[in-house]
Amino acid sequence: MGYSLVFTAHYEKIERRFIKRHPDLLERYHKTLALLEQDPFQPSLRLHALQGALAGLHAVSINLQYRITLEIEVREHEIILVNIGSHGDVY
């Protein structure tokens, strides 16, 4: 069973800005989202739990520089997208 991605209005605003600034990452970003829907625990996504102020959230990599922070509801098979940007932006 796959997962459904939840795009909040706040995330969509950040996403539009990110894509406008980084159109070269659009294909890689869409591939990352597709992998998340299939199985967020795939090793290539480098899913990891966050600590400190972001405890309770997880992050996956778009590439070595850019990340997506997210909340995973395993029971409901939902992934709530929270933020997207460089390592410094999302942490």
Side-chain angles (χ1 to χ4, degrees):
M1 174 183 233
Y3 288 75
S4 60
L5 301 180
V6 177
F7 294 84
T8 64
H10 175 74
Y11 181 83
E12 288 177 338
K13 181 179 177 183
I14 296 168
E15 177 191 50
R16 281 190 300 273
R17 228 177 319 144
F18 178 81
I19 291 170
K20 187 176 180 179
R21 290 180 185 158
H22 307 284
D24 55 311
L25 293 176
L26 186 60
E27 185 177 332
R28 180 68 187 146
Y29 173 63
H30 286 296
K31 182 178 178 182
T32 301
L33 293 180
L35 290 172
L36 270 174
E37 283 183 311
Q38 291 172 10
D39 178 10
F41 303 101
Q42 291 184 41
S44 64
L45 291 172
R46 296 186 288 281
L47 176 74
H48 58 283
L50 301 178
Q51 299 176 0
L54 298 175
L57 297 178
H58 290 75
V60 295
S61 297
I62 298 172
N63 63 20
L64 291 175
Q65 185 176 0
Y66 295 100
R67 310 279 189 275
I68 301 173
T69 57
L70 47 97
E71 188 175 317
I72 296 178
E73 297 288 336
V74 176
R75 237 178 339 127
E76 301 296 327
H77 281 269
E78 287 186 339
I79 298 174
I80 302 166
L81 303 170
V82 176
N83 201 352
I84 182 173
S86 71
H87 186 277
D89 291 340
V90 298
Y91 300 139

